[in-house]
Amino acid sequence: MTDLALILVVAGIVTLVFKKLKQPLVLGYIVAGFLVSPHMPYTASVADTENIHLWADIGVMFLLFSLGLDFSFKKILKMGASPVISTITIIFCMSMLGVFVGHAFGWSRMDCIFLGGMLAMSSTTIIYKAFDDLGLRQQQFASLVMSVLILEDILAIVMMVMLSAIASGNSPDGSQMVGSVVKIGFFLVLWLVVGIFAIPLFLRSVRRLINNETLLIVSLGMCCAMAVISTKVGFSSAFGAFIMGSILAETVEAEKIEKLVEPVKNLFGAIFFVSVGMLVDPQVLVSYSVPIISLVLTILVGQAVFGSFAFMLGGESLKSAMRCGFSMAQIGEFSFIIASLGLSLGVISDFLYPVVVAVSVITTFLTPYMIRLATPAYNAIEHRLPSRLISMLNQLSISHPASQEQSLWKRLLTQMTVYTTVYSILSSAAVAMMFTFVHPIMEKALIHMPLLAPTGEIKGFYVPNIVTGVLTVLIISPFLRAMIMKKNRSEEWKRLWAESNRNHLPLLFTVLLRVGVAVGFVFYVCHRLSHFSNAVIVTAGIVIVALMVISRTVKHRSILLERLFINNLRSRDIEAQVMGKKRPLYEGRLLDRDIHIADFEVPANSKWMGNALKNLNLGKKYGVHISSILRGGRRMNIPDGDSVIFPYDHLRVIGSDDQLSKFAYDLSHEVQSEDTDIEKREMKLRQLIISSDSPLIGQTLQESGIRSTYSCMVVGLEEGKKNLSPVAPQRRLQEGDILWVVGEEEPLQELLKQC
């Protein structure tokens, strides 16, 4: 608690100073970390640095979780190959640059190779925080930078496997590297597909039970659970947290979770950046000042040049590419991990780790200034270089592959490959789960049944194997059927089939190939759980797959699962459409028919309010249709004629331009006129005494017309008490009753005259 108090107090004071100076807060955290570090003898220091590093790891995890909530994998996929091209180019160029600089200082071969890996990895956490502090997170170039950073983090795992192979003397092109790539792809697809299928379904089922507190706990619990799973399979906890954030980013609750998690992220994120500042050792800065300055300049210049070039190759203009390249000019947490790997393997020198830490701190400190420098640097280049050269550099950028017109074959084969890969991963995961967990349970549960032999067999068949095999095939059957049948009736398939007879055989081959993959899964299950010959198992596999294809039950399950997944994947888009943040998908088809959708807000003083749609008769009067009404947070689709219009209702209206123009004009002009006698609307309280000749004697309140005729209201009956008594509706007024009445001045005067 003492260390935590010291960190937060110093960080609070320093960040207030930096806020006053209008500097990014991340720099204040680093300065605060230096002030409380053991390397600073003039101030109080943190006693237990191990706890600080533990909190810092939690901070990285929550920062990456928030990044996933704000930036999902759907955004990366929509950008096509552009981030992939930029990422590979940056990693290759910066790695080679790091190796060259290491050789210039005369360092060993392994020091140079590991240094190249460290310089290639920009910091996702630091750049995300810098964009947040500078208010740039929502800009288009920032999205592209974050895409590249996420891909860098993924490829960093492959790089670590490759560096381990080099350190052990093996070829980096060996089976270890291939296995690492396959492992990453397998778990990424599995986590995303299963997560997007299961988590929105879970949140939807408990939505009525969740408030802000429970939603925060549930979301952080999911984040930590995925972080643990990620570490169990060999990845980092921060990577798992990002995956969970990406899954939750597709849910309706994403924006609410992001707001709820932000204070937790800010707290632990501050501790992380303070811990980075604590790593600054002045002695190392002095002893290795020349290499440190050289490496800092290498990163700044290298990312500014090669980073900008890489983003131009990815399809960005010169200005946008420079903003992206300048933003990535620092190294961070993965550089530390690579340095730690080199030390643990005993292949790099001891000085390299503190040097890299110092370089990371300095480049982190300079990151906001590099981001700000990009636009002035572009302006300077634009003024000094010939316009023809600027134009040539802009033309160097290739167009995004996603925007290029693709051939029918390419689209069809790409889609088939994606579906086959995804369903194969799901089937593999299901088979592994059944063999790992269900099969042992079946053996324990069934082997002692009375009808079975002591060995668990009945007529020579091992029952636990049979039950496990049947259940496994039933579970994977929707995936295998979808793998075979998907895209067989698509527009691309039909056009290719009708285009030429030469396409028939290749198209049929794609079906046979997918059938072969499906039979392979059935063969594997049967081969593991039975002792039949391969020929018998293959024949059985073909028969089972054929039954899957023709089975209506399997078809229904397959379609149901796919629709549920697509609905979950689109849930945030659907929520945006319902809440009016996004136009409905059917609008595009309406535009082809010369009608479109427009949203209108009912004015507070509209004459339409309080009227039912059937009384307004908008269809006959304007020719428009009210497709929905958004009131508060609830959208009423296809309202009937009895639906009443209220002030501030958001009406979604379908019609032509002329119809909508007339509708908009009348909606905005048919309003209540301003009250010119506002002074007469003052409400007053008067005492009303029923005299002997009053016409109100013997009447109830309703019969008296006090409310209906005079627009006044009786608030109480005075009966010699301090408090007024309510007047019962059935009580008849009597001589001498003292009523207290509220109303406007003129009606009150008229009423008093009658009494």
Side-chain angles (χ1 to χ4, degrees), residues 561-685:
L561 290 174
E562 183 175 347
R563 286 179 178 174
L564 185 58
F565 176 81
I566 296 297
N567 189 60
N568 289 345
L569 190 62
R570 293 185 58 247
S571 59
R572 195 168 181 181
D573 292 334
I574 294 172
E575 185 258 352
Q577 293 179 37
V578 170
M579 299 306 296
K581 303 173 187 176
K582 189 175 181 180
R583 310 300 289 175
L585 293 178
Y586 64 81
E587 184 178 22
R589 298 194 176 186
L590 292 177
L591 290 173
D592 296 337
R593 290 157 177 79
D594 198 29
I595 57 176
H596 62 96
I597 298 173
D599 291 320
F600 300 94
E601 184 180 49
V602 178
N605 57 344
S606 174
K607 291 182 178 179
W608 295 8
M609 63 182 181
N611 289 301
L613 290 178
K614 63 183 179 183
N615 298 330
L616 293 172
N617 203 11
L618 302 178
K620 185 175 181 180
K621 189 174 181 181
Y622 303 103
V624 299
H625 302 278
I626 307 295
S627 64
S628 65
I629 301 174
L630 178 62
R631 183 175 299 153
R634 184 180 181 85
R635 183 172 290 278
M636 296 168 284
N637 291 317
I638 320 299
D640 57 19
D642 294 325
S643 299
V644 177
I645 299 295
F646 285 84
Y648 303 113
D649 277 353
H650 289 264
L651 309 179
R652 179 160 286 172
V653 187
I654 302 176
S656 65
D657 287 337
D658 291 340
Q659 293 169 342
L660 293 174
S661 296
K662 294 176 183 177
F663 177 86
Y665 181 85
D666 284 357
L667 178 63
S668 60
H669 286 79
E670 292 186 13
V671 295
Q672 303 286 350
S673 59
E674 292 188 8
D675 192 351
T676 57
D677 297 325
I678 191 69
E679 294 82 4
K680 297 181 179 180
R681 302 294 171 251
E682 182 184 10
M683 298 286 284
K684 296 183 178 181
L685 179 66

Side-chain angles (χ1 to χ4, degrees), residues 241-256:
F242 172 79
I243 295 296
M244 180 52 66
S246 297
I247 295 170
L248 290 174
E250 309 304 334
T251 65
V252 175
E253 291 80 5
E255 290 185 12
K256 187 182 294 185

